[in-house]
Amino acid sequence: MTLAELKEGEFAEITGYTLGNAAYRAKLLALGLTHGVQVRIINVAPLGDPFEIAVRGYHLSLRRDEVRVIKVKK
């Protein structure tokens, strides 16, 4: 399951990333989206892009294609 599949208000734990660009993965890791971190979907824009998530005590907005590469478990 990916972060893009969650609905507003749901919690999940990051379990990894789908295969992709190593530089892009490094960007997500630098933002604090590391393995084992709890995230919560705060809001999804009406057209589904961007997602607002809460992670490590702050809010972060990510595009749909960015949240699709983050694997999670509820």
Side-chain angles (χ1 to χ4, degrees), residues 8 12 30 40 43 52 59 61-62 66:
E8 289 181 28
R40 181 170 58 109
N43 194 14
E52 180 184 3
H59 290 206
S61 292
L62 297 172
E66 293 173 324

Side-chain angles (χ1 to χ4, degrees), residues 2-48:
T2 67
L3 194 57
E5 297 171 45
L6 298 178
K7 298 188 181 357
E8 289 181 28
E10 291 186 315
F11 288 86
E13 179 181 325
I14 297 176
T15 59
Y17 298 92
T18 60
L19 295 177
N21 185 339
Y24 183 65
R25 180 180 174 186
K27 173 191 167 192
L28 294 174
L29 291 170
L31 290 171
L33 300 171
T34 57
H35 182 32
V37 170
Q38 292 283 328
V39 297
R40 181 170 58 109
I41 303 294
I42 301 295
N43 194 14
V44 179
L47 296 177

